[in-house]
Amino acid sequence: MSLRARLVLAAAYLLSVAVITLEVPLARYVQKADTNEFEAGVLTNAVLVAARINDDLPLSGSDPLFPPQPPAVITTIVDQTAQATGTRMIVTDALGRLVADSASESPVGTSYATEERPELLAVLSVAGGKIDRRRRFSSTLGQDLLYVTVPVVHQREAIGAVRASVSLAALNSRVWRSWLGFGLIGVIVILVGLGLAWFLATTLARPVQRLEDTSARLGTGDLTARAQPEGPKEIAALGGSFNRMAEALAANISAQRDFLANASHQLRTPLTGIKLRLEAIEQEGGFAAAQAKKAEGEVDRLAELVNDLLALAKASSAEAAGSRVDLAEVAAEAVERWTGPATEAGMDLELDALSPATAWANGDDLAHVLDNLIENAIRYCPGGTRIRVRAVDGALGPILSVSDNGPGIPEEDRPRVFERFFRGESGRKAGSGSGLGLAVVAELVGRWGGAVRLRDGDSGQGSCFEASFPRPPTIP
Ligand code: ADP
């Protein structure tokens, strides 16, 4: 998981925990306060009505044999309060008979304190009366209602009851709205926090990513790659020390290359001189001539080594001009150059490059690559071998390859053939050679962003060296 994703995830976790721990108790508190306020409002209305009618209620009569005769003022008070507060109000006398009903559902005198209305029974069954508050599902209205019932007290006696009932839908929607509001605030806080975390994570991750890119460039051989000291102090300092390391590395490598190039160059002239003198001794004849002949072979080997070292030093220096090169053309030219030596060795050199395959490289580098590969095939394969030089524009990019149906390279030697000075079994048997040819090939191909690999030759026999290159940039 990326650094940015980790940081954002950690921020998301912390923010969610913080928001939930803070908001849930707060929302519950607000819900409780809303409920209390709502219930207190209904209770106040009921108490007020009870207080306003406590002088008039005794006038409606309390004889169980005669129905109550409530004065008009009670009905007026009940109706007015019910209308003003949006509640349903009923008044019963001490026997539980209906005295007034703002909803006018039942006639006056109906027995109301029954099992279906336990709140009235609860209030009237206590001598001095008591306040009853409950929630109950009303089967008549099909919803939850809040019932607040208070006694009508006259001369310390409960002479009746006032019941205020109201739908809980309004309270529920108020509670739901406040939860929604808290939820919305929480989501906004988390989103803003996440945006901030993303911004912070980006300012941290970007310089690290750039540093990683730069080190990857340096790793692939671009010694000019330098980091930009940016971002937080610690990462900027890391960029600075990375640059110092790259500087030292580049200076070291360039000094090595210079040394190698100079040494190889300086060795060439005396070697030519020695060779000329040995040739002169050979002319003399006799024992000295035979020794000189052998020494000349050694000098040739040394000259080849010096040439290969020089080629390697040149291949590793980044100073070559690139251009669009047609691999098919390079292959055709190489086949032309090597047809003579191949025929002499009794081999068949074939060209397989029918259509153009363009790569961004240097023509001389590619010619050098093909020279080394074809020379190896001629050197390490017996007469009668078929060598094929191929240039194709493959699905993944242009490819240049040299394959043969010779003896091939043993499995255990394959991973090491591109190492400097490595000579496989066939190389050691062949005698001449420096073990640098394939290292030069890998260096020259890598210099143009390509890669060279060794696989089995055509029809599974022999070896095939395949250099693949990236597609050249399209010039508009
Ligand atoms: P050199 O040819 O100087 O030994 P190279 O780096 O060119 O060095 O090759 C390394 C080794 O790979 C050779 O010594 C040889 O054993 C093996 N090799 C390279 N090309 C072939 C080939 N076409 N067939 C068989 N062996 C090969």
Side-chain angles (χ1 to χ4, degrees):
M1 197 190 281
S2 72
L3 174 68
R4 191 183 323 202
R6 273 166 200 256
L7 286 173
V8 171
L9 219 70
Y13 172 74
L14 283 178
L15 280 168
S16 312
V17 169
V19 164
I20 289 171
T21 6
L22 284 175
E23 279 206 341
V24 169
L26 192 65
R28 288 170 83 106
Y29 177 79
V30 170
Q31 175 180 1
K32 211 165 170 176
D34 276 350
T35 311
N36 284 346
E37 190 191 335
F38 185 78
E39 287 184 5
V42 179
L43 175 68
T44 310
N45 293 331
V47 169
L48 270 177
V49 169
R52 287 171 71 189
I53 63 170
N54 70 345
D55 284 339
D56 302 305
L57 191 57
L59 306 178
S60 75
S62 56
D63 190 335
L65 298 175
F66 297 98
Q69 302 280 322
V73 65
I74 295 183
T75 318
T76 312
I77 289 171
V78 164
D79 285 349
Q80 275 175 358
T81 313
Q83 209 171 16
T85 58
T87 49
R88 181 189 173 194
M89 295 255 170
I90 62 151
V91 177
T92 68
D93 60 13
L95 299 170
R97 296 177 303 179
L98 189 67
V99 172
D101 177 6
S102 65
S104 313
E105 267 180 16
S106 313
V108 170
T110 312
S111 180
Y112 241 59
T114 57
E115 290 295 325
E116 291 92 69
R117 301 182 191 86
E119 65 278 359
L120 288 170
L121 285 177
V123 170
L124 294 173
S125 61
V126 178
K130 68 164 197 165
I131 293 174
D132 183 90
R133 221 176 350 183
R134 67 179 71 202
R135 289 166 185 227
R136 174 158 76 70
F137 182 76
S138 158
S139 39
T140 330
L141 294 175
Q143 54 177 303
D144 275 330
L145 297 184
L146 169 71
Y147 293 91
V148 177
T149 316
V150 298
V152 182
V153 180
H154 186 73
Q155 291 174 352
R156 296 188 194 87
E157 280 294 316
I159 56 161
V162 174
R163 190 192 77 179
S165 55
V166 63
S167 160
L168 283 168
L171 173 65
N172 287 344
S173 84
R174 200 156 117 189
V175 167
W176 192 82
R177 270 206 308 277
S178 78
W179 273 100
L180 200 74
F182 276 111
L184 219 71
I185 291 171
V187 169
I188 290 171
V189 167
I190 290 177
L191 284 182
V192 170
L194 281 185
L196 214 69
W198 179 266
F199 173 73
L200 281 175
T202 306
T203 56
L204 267 183
R206 199 180 292 146
V208 174
Q209 179 64 48
R210 290 213 183 117
L211 195 59
E212 207 267 318
D213 291 346
T214 314
S215 75
R217 271 173 56 210
L218 191 72
T220 51
D222 178 3
L223 295 176
T224 58
R226 293 291 178 277
Q228 220 169 5
E230 58 178 342
K233 213 170 75 188
E234 292 80 357
I235 296 179
L238 183 64
S241 48
F242 175 87
N243 283 348
R244 284 193 292 283
M245 183 199 72
E247 211 75 63
L249 195 69
N252 213 329
I253 291 176
S254 131
Q256 270 184 24
R257 277 183 192 152
D258 285 352
F259 171 77
L260 195 62
N262 288 336
S264 314
H265 200 73
Q266 295 300 326
L267 279 170
R268 269 177 152 184
T269 329
L271 277 176
T272 319
I274 295 171
K275 196 169 156 63
L276 285 174
R277 275 163 220 273
L278 287 171
E279 275 171 7
I281 297 170
E282 272 178 55
Q283 305 293 321
E284 304 276 315
F287 177 74
Q291 291 302 315
K293 180 93 183 138
K294 283 181 189 158
E296 200 190 341
E298 294 298 320
V299 168
D300 281 344
R301 253 174 62 85
L302 193 57
E304 195 181 338
L305 180 65
V306 166
N307 279 341
D308 282 349
L309 277 174
L310 196 58
L312 192 62
K314 274 190 189 153
S316 353
S317 76
E319 298 146 15
S323 63
R324 291 167 73 85
V325 180
D326 182 6
L327 303 187
E329 226 174 276
V330 176
E333 283 166 13
V335 168
E336 212 178 300
R337 268 197 311 281
W338 287 92
T339 301
T343 317
E344 242 170 68
M347 296 184 189
D348 200 6
L349 184 61
E350 291 173 5
L351 172 69
D352 180 1
L354 294 175
S355 49
T358 318
W360 184 265
N362 177 288
D364 290 344
D365 282 0
L366 298 188
H368 200 144
V369 165
L370 286 183
D371 285 350
N372 279 9
L373 294 176
I374 299 172
E375 191 182 11
N376 273 354
I378 294 176
R379 187 184 287 171
Y380 300 118
C381 298
T385 299
R386 205 183 62 235
I387 305 169
R388 178 176 291 171
V389 181
R390 187 181 288 142
V392 278
D393 199 359
L396 297 174
I399 290 174
L400 198 56
S401 71
V402 175
S403 61
D404 61 63
N405 59 353
I409 298 177
E411 204 61 51
E412 64 274 15
D413 286 352
R414 288 187 180 201
R416 301 193 56 200
V417 285
F418 294 104
E419 278 178 21
R420 293 170 186 196
F421 298 111
F422 177 80
R423 306 206 70 210
E425 203 190 310
S426 46
R428 287 191 296 273
K429 273 189 207 147
S432 66
S434 64
L436 286 174
L438 290 176
V440 171
V441 167
E443 200 72 46
L444 288 173
V445 173
R447 178 193 228 179
W448 300 106
V452 59
R453 68 184 185 115
L454 164 63
R455 56 177 184 80
D456 286 337
D458 302 332
S459 67
Q461 198 199 335
S463 22
C464 173
F465 290 91
E466 189 178 84
S468 51
F469 297 88
R471 286 202 182 285
T474 38
I475 299 161

